Amino acid sequence: MMKKLNSMPPEKKDVEAADNTTNKAVQLEILNTAPSSSWGSTLFEPQRELSDPTPTDRSPSGPRPTSLDAPEKKLTLFALRLATIEKTASGLGQLAFVWATVVLLGGFASALKPKDFWMVTAILVVEAARIFSRSRELEWQHLSTRSIPAPSSRRRIQSHLSIRRLLRAAIISPLTPAARSRSLARKFQQPNWLRVLMEPKRTWHPGNIPLLPYSGWVFISKNISRLLYWLQILAASACAVLSLMRLGQQDYGGDGTTNQKSALNVFYGLALAEALMFLLEKSYWSWRISYGKLIERVRDDCDLGPIGMVSLRRFFYDAYSRSIDGSVFDGLKMDLVTFAEELLDSDSPDEQLIGAKILQRFVENERFAGDTLRKIGSSMPVIERLIEMLNWKDPVEEDIRRSAAEIISKLAAKKQQALRVAAIPGAMESIASLLQTGGPSTGSRPYEASPRAVVVDREDYEFSAFNLLGLLILKRLGRDHDNCGKIGNARGLLARIIDLSGAGATLLRDERAPESRIKTVRRALQLVLILVSSTGETGKTLRREISGIVYSVSNVRELLQYGESHLKLQKLGVEILTSMAMDEEARENIGATGSMLRLLLAVFFRPTVTDRVASVCGEAGEALAMLVLESRSNCERIYREGEEVVQRLVDALKDPVLRVNAGRILVGLCAYSDPKSSGGIISRIAAESMHVVLKTIMEEEEKEKLLEVSIGLALQILNPGNPSYMDMVGKAGIKEEEFAGRLVRILCKYEIPESKVPRMRRVVIDLSITLMKHDRRYIKLFRDLGMEWVLKGAADTTSELECFNVFSGSVGLGRHAVMLSSLIDTALQLLA
């Protein structure tokens, strides 16, 4: 390209430069935004705000279910068939009743033989008894799936507390079987648990309601239901037997001139048909439910677990009742998700628990999660009800609260649903109620608090699961920039999050520390990192507020000091420091925190025996580079750590893992510290590592970040204030023509600014200016190499991208004092 520029006539050069300008303007729209291959994206490069990869309503995580995928359709179809048979039998019965009263008893009452008169009367009485018992049985069957609150009850219902607790501990709890057994044993040893079990129950069990006083077990509701069932069977059987007997005998009497015989045959035929239809319904019911295990199969298909039998039986009776009371097709309109949403709005805790469990199991199932979340998300009253349940702290409602939190966490995983959740007034405060750090009177540090706390005189209420769920919900909501601001505005929420991010020396040193505690700390740190990494004014405000919480930096310091066996936690802590350091005030607070810089240096110099350790070291290096950026006080603090630290930083330039961040730290120390302090470090670099820096500039092609940092470090050494170091290029065995040609080639390669190395063109031009100011031979060299035309091309493609030291997302922070266009003008003046 340089030969082409030199040999090209001026007018053609202008034409090609104009064409290049047009092409470059288009190319600016397709800047490379792939993460860096060394340590991923850092704050020293801008990151384009891409679309959220979180699955939305139109891209569910699993295959979208069709109507055939809904197993409860088997129940609604079964209810439709039963209702059709039942209504057919009822229609025949009504027709038989009308026929008997209008035709037989109205037209042939005096002509009927006493045998037929009493037979018709008996059949009508038996049918009336069957219809009555049938309606009562349906009521008792429907009632058996509900709880009946006592009229005087003003407290939350506690009748099934033990069953619910055992169910939660045995099925829903994430503990291992051994830990679950220990937990159950502890609970049954606690006097408060026994006291609650001994409390008088506030509800009647549906199967044990005494209908008559002093009747014992004879007239309880369960036995009455069985009695009504068999009464129907006997009534239908008697009706069929009597009808068949008279149809077979045909001794109706009469003179043959009337229609008496035909009328009786019609009546007995209708009565027989009704009885047979009813017996067919009962047989079909028993065959599908008792022997076909229909409900059990639907439960397994829905993956509802042990609670599925109760919920599906209730669902089936509701569908059957709707088909009986209205159109036979009304039951087909029901589905388990809508059914569960209706139960959530009930006043009965048992019904609320059933509804919450159904929705929880569905949102956790890949087959049903997408459709279920769409239905829940499209109903704001349901979301509001779930958010309200997060505030329920009564131990009796613990399972309901947990299920509601699980559902909200799944909703928050989808972008559109997360926006709806966060839009509900008071949602953040309700989610904050899930976070608890310890008892009210412990008087301990946050990380030293007990995992249990006292709530309404209950000591067995565990908070670890709710802490994890609350942090998960907030973490997923925090993916949206606006939600981060809402989290920061929620009263006391940031302080709770910071409290949960503290591990403490005891926990970090304990090799047998509970996994739930470590997971809570990790999730809290992830949430803090999301908040401090926010962009714009929201991010600036959050970084300032979080750095103002007294435990924020000290919690990270303890991770660096004691968390060597927890590398994931250490890395998260260091990333938090890096993001917080974007704020100038926070940068000074971090540096002023005792031993913080020393601990970061220790992590940075840790032997990189594994990739995980190397990753933590890289993050520590980036944090140090951020802390020394434009901070003379932090530079002085690093100098006070001793000559050995400075020497190890210089030596790290030869380490392929550490040299990028080591170079950034050294550039910061040279650029922003006191000149008296920086002189020593510059002399060390020039004496021990300058040949490595120059060799990298001359030979490196693939590792762009390393090339950019090396040129920046050379710029700090070869500046006009250090003329004694200008001969280092020759001492390194590099000719001036080769060095100048390399700089021109680099500038030609980066015709447009690239987000991966946004300062590349700036440091090349600045270094070229330094060389031309100190040694006028470089002016002729650059002029012969066509540097003037390359600079003019660069002037046409300057961008705001090249004007900042660091970036928060796509927002630049720390603007350079000298614009790139001014540097280009200076270089062109020197060349002229």
Side-chain angles (χ1 to χ4, degrees):
M1 180 176 178
M2 289 181 292
K3 293 180 179 179
K4 183 177 180 181
L5 284 171
N6 291 330
S7 60
M8 189 180 299
E11 58 271 18
K12 290 189 177 181
K13 293 179 184 178
D14 294 338
V15 173
E16 178 154 325
D19 292 339
N20 288 340
T21 302
T22 305
N23 294 334
K24 291 164 187 173
V26 177
Q27 291 172 0
L28 280 172
E29 299 297 324
I30 52 173
L31 295 177
N32 184 4
T33 58
S36 170
S37 60
S38 56
W39 296 114
S41 58
T42 69
L43 298 181
F44 294 96
E45 300 89 38
Q47 296 302 310
R48 191 182 295 269
E49 308 248 350
L50 301 175
S51 59
D52 196 337
T54 306
T56 61
D57 294 345
R58 299 185 179 274
S59 58
S61 57
R64 182 170 180 174
T66 63
S67 59
L68 297 178
D69 292 323
E72 68 267 21
K73 295 297 183 184
K74 300 175 184 177
L75 291 178
T76 55
L77 181 60
F78 179 54
L80 167 68
R81 292 168 179 168
L82 287 177
T84 301
I85 299 174
E86 172 70 21
K87 288 198 170 186
T88 301
S90 298
L92 291 172
Q94 292 174 3
L95 182 57
F97 179 79
V98 172
W99 190 270
T101 54
V102 176
V103 178
L104 293 179
L105 299 181
F108 304 102
S110 58
L112 288 176
K113 293 174 61 176
K115 184 178 182 179
D116 287 312
F117 176 81
W118 290 111
M119 191 68 71
V120 171
T121 303
I123 289 175
L124 292 177
V125 171
V126 169
E127 272 304 303
R130 187 192 66 80
I131 294 173
F132 173 79
S133 60
R134 176 59 174 161
S135 61
R136 300 289 79 76
E137 188 213 8
L138 288 175
E139 291 179 4
W140 285 110
Q141 285 177 339
H142 198 262
L143 179 65
S144 65
T145 61
R146 297 175 180 267
S147 62
I148 307 175
S152 61
S153 176
R154 293 187 180 180
R155 297 171 52 191
R156 287 289 180 185
I157 300 174
Q158 301 180 3
S159 61
H160 302 303
L161 176 61
S162 59
I163 296 176
R164 243 186 254 128
R165 286 284 184 181
L166 288 172
L167 182 65
R168 178 183 62 80
I171 299 164
I172 305 164
S173 174
L175 299 177
T176 62
R180 192 180 300 130
S181 300
R182 291 194 298 268
S183 178
L184 285 173
R186 288 196 304 268
K187 288 183 178 181
F188 280 109
Q189 291 172 2
Q190 293 177 357
N192 283 338
W193 169 260
L194 296 176
R195 177 177 61 80
V196 173
L197 288 179
M198 296 297 291
E199 287 181 356
K201 292 178 171 45
R202 308 292 294 188
T203 60
W204 290 108
H205 189 280
N208 297 322
I209 301 175
L211 299 182
L212 297 175
Y214 313 110
S215 59
W217 63 271
V218 178
F219 289 102
I220 62 176
S221 57
K222 179 172 59 177
N223 294 337
I224 292 295
S225 178
R226 292 176 182 172
L227 178 63
L228 293 173
Y229 174 81
W230 287 109
L231 181 59
Q232 294 173 71
I233 299 297
L234 291 174
S237 300
C239 181
V241 169
L242 293 175
S243 300
L244 278 173
M245 183 178 67
R246 293 304 295 151
L247 286 172
Q249 292 173 350
Q250 292 289 317
D251 55 343
Y252 303 135
D255 54 5
T257 60
T258 64
N259 294 324
Q260 177 181 341
K261 182 178 180 179
S262 300
L264 286 170
N265 283 333
V266 171
F267 171 74
Y268 289 130
L270 290 172
L272 176 61
E274 179 195 9
L276 292 177
M277 290 295 290
F278 176 76
L279 292 174
L280 174 64
E281 178 193 2
K282 284 297 181 183
S283 301
Y284 183 48
W285 183 305
S286 300
W287 173 58
R288 293 301 305 274
I289 296 295
S290 300
Y291 300 103
K293 305 292 183 182
L294 178 61
I295 295 181
E296 287 84 348
R297 287 191 285 112
V298 174
R299 177 200 63 188
D300 295 339
D301 290 343
C302 293
D303 193 25
L304 290 178
I307 203 172
M309 288 301 296
V310 177
S311 56
L312 288 175
R313 198 177 296 275
R314 168 73 185 277
F315 172 77
F316 168 68
Y317 283 128
D318 278 9
Y320 183 59
S321 298
R322 291 190 185 186
S323 298
I324 291 294
D325 296 338
S327 169
V328 291
F329 299 105
D330 287 349
L332 293 179
K333 302 175 183 177
M334 290 184 61
D335 63 83
L336 273 174
V337 176
T338 306
F339 171 73
E341 291 175 347
E342 293 173 355
L343 291 181
L344 287 180
D345 204 33
S346 170
D347 292 330
S348 167
D350 291 322
E351 294 182 351
Q352 294 165 354
L353 180 62
I354 291 174
K357 288 299 177 190
I358 291 174
L359 294 179
Q360 179 189 353
R361 297 303 290 244
F362 273 18
V363 299
E364 292 174 349
N365 190 309
E366 285 188 9
R367 288 178 59 199
F368 312 117
D371 186 61
T372 303
L373 291 173
R374 272 190 296 273
K375 288 187 177 180
I376 296 174
S378 62
S379 175
M380 290 302 291
V382 175
I383 301 179
E384 291 176 359
R385 181 64 165 172
L386 291 170
I387 292 293
E388 176 191 349
M389 288 177 172
L390 300 182
N391 293 299
W392 294 359
K393 295 185 179 180
D394 193 314
V396 179
E397 299 163 332
E398 181 179 356
D399 291 336
I400 302 174
R401 189 187 187 204
R402 182 197 295 266
S403 297
E406 291 278 5
I407 298 166
I408 293 296
S409 70
K410 297 295 183 180
L411 280 174
K414 293 181 175 290
K415 184 175 182 180
Q416 295 299 325
Q417 313 298 4
L419 294 175
R420 294 189 180 103
V421 170
I424 294 176
M428 294 302 173
E429 288 74 11
S430 298
I431 298 170
S433 68
L434 296 171
L435 306 182
Q436 183 71 34
T437 57
S441 59
T442 57
S444 61
R445 290 282 299 275
Y447 49 78
E448 296 170 348
S450 170
R452 298 179 179 274
V454 180
V455 175
V456 290
D457 300 328
R458 293 297 306 280
E459 296 179 354
D460 62 341
Y461 195 94
E462 296 183 1
F463 286 100
S464 59
F466 290 106
N467 284 336
L468 287 171
L469 286 170
L471 291 171
L472 178 61
I473 295 170
L474 292 172
K475 190 175 80 168
R476 288 175 172 175
L477 292 177
R479 293 171 180 170
D480 185 85
H481 178 76
D482 294 334
N483 290 343
C484 289
K486 294 179 180 179
I487 293 173
N489 292 331
R491 182 179 179 183
L493 181 53
L494 288 179
R496 293 191 188 186
I497 296 171
I498 296 300
D499 285 349
L500 292 172
S501 69
T506 304
L507 180 63
L508 293 172
R509 288 171 172 173
D510 188 1
E511 296 180 356
R512 296 179 296 178
E515 180 61 27
S516 61
R517 296 291 303 281
I518 299 297
K519 191 174 182 180
T520 299
V521 175
R522 181 167 64 248
R523 194 165 285 178
L525 290 171
Q526 291 170 343
L527 177 56
V528 175
L529 178 59
I530 290 173
L531 296 177
V532 297
S533 302
S534 301
T535 60
E537 290 299 322
T538 299
K540 186 183 297 185
T541 302
L542 286 171
R543 285 189 287 272
R544 193 160 298 166
E545 291 181 358
I546 290 175
S547 64
I549 299 175
V550 294
Y551 288 120
S552 299
V553 180
S554 59
N555 284 348
V556 177
R557 179 177 62 183
E558 288 170 342
L559 288 174
L560 298 177
Q561 193 168 3
Y562 306 110
E564 190 170 351
S565 59
H566 299 279
L567 294 179
K568 290 183 178 179
L569 301 184
Q570 275 196 344
K571 184 177 179 181
L572 288 169
V574 175
E575 288 175 340
I576 290 171
L577 291 181
T578 306
S579 296
M580 288 175 62
M582 286 190 287
D583 182 75
E584 183 178 354
E585 184 178 347
R587 193 182 307 156
E588 297 301 324
N589 291 339
I590 294 170
T593 301
S595 71
M596 179 60 74
L597 293 174
R598 185 184 309 125
L599 291 171
L600 283 172
L601 287 167
V603 173
F604 179 62
F605 293 131
R606 185 182 297 167
T608 55
V609 293
T610 63
D611 291 341
R612 184 176 295 181
V613 174
S615 178
V616 178
C617 294
E619 293 295 342
E622 186 180 348
L624 287 167
M626 281 295 301
L627 289 172
V628 300
L629 183 67
E630 299 180 344
S631 176
R632 175 170 292 189
S633 58
N634 283 340
C635 292
E636 295 300 324
R637 291 185 181 102
I638 290 180
Y639 285 130
R640 287 199 295 267
E641 293 297 324
E643 296 290 330
E644 181 183 356
V645 171
V646 176
Q647 183 62 49
R648 294 185 71 178
L649 285 171
V650 174
D651 294 340
L653 291 173
K654 305 172 185 178
D655 190 323
V657 176
L658 304 179
R659 55 184 177 177
V660 172
N661 285 313
R664 286 172 176 163
I665 298 170
L666 290 172
V667 168
L669 291 174
C670 295
Y672 303 112
S673 58
D674 186 273
K676 295 180 181 179
S677 302
S678 63
I681 192 171
I682 290 176
S683 63
R684 286 195 179 188
I685 299 173
E688 301 180 21
S689 298
M690 188 60 184
H691 66 285
V692 177
V693 175
L694 293 174
K695 183 179 180 181
T696 301
I697 295 174
M698 295 300 297
E699 299 178 359
E700 189 58 59
E701 295 289 348
E702 296 181 356
K703 298 178 181 179
E704 297 173 305
K705 290 186 180 181
L706 178 60
L707 178 60
E708 180 190 60
V709 170
S710 298
I711 297 174
L713 188 56
L715 172 63
Q716 296 299 323
I717 297 172
L718 304 175
N719 65 68
N722 294 283
S724 59
Y725 299 137
M726 291 300 299
D727 59 351
M728 293 298 297
V729 176
K731 290 182 179 180
I734 303 173
K735 297 180 179 180
E736 286 81 359
E737 307 88 60
E738 295 176 352
F739 192 59
R742 174 59 175 165
L743 295 179
V744 174
R745 287 195 300 272
I746 293 173
L747 202 56
C748 290
K749 179 181 178 181
Y750 295 94
E751 294 179 296
I752 58 174
E754 290 196 12
S755 59
K756 290 170 64 175
V757 281
R759 290 165 295 279
M760 179 69 81
R761 301 201 302 177
R762 167 180 286 274
V763 292
V764 170
I765 294 172
D766 206 351
L767 179 58
S768 301
I769 292 172
T770 299
L771 293 172
M772 288 188 288
K773 283 184 176 179
H774 182 73
D775 191 341
R776 301 192 64 84
R777 289 178 302 168
Y778 280 97
I779 298 177
K780 183 177 183 304
L781 291 173
F782 282 130
R783 190 180 296 156
D784 294 340
L785 291 169
M787 184 66 153
E788 182 179 358
W789 300 108
V790 177
L791 289 173
K792 289 181 179 180
D796 293 335
T797 58
T798 57
S799 169
E800 282 286 290
L801 181 68
E802 303 170 287
C803 297
F804 299 95
N805 284 313
V806 292
F807 299 87
S808 174
S810 58
V811 179
L813 302 175
R815 182 180 288 273
H816 289 288
V818 180
M819 300 290 290
L820 180 60
S821 58
S822 299
L823 289 177
I824 294 175
D825 292 340
T826 302
L828 289 173
Q829 290 175 6
L830 290 171
L831 287 171

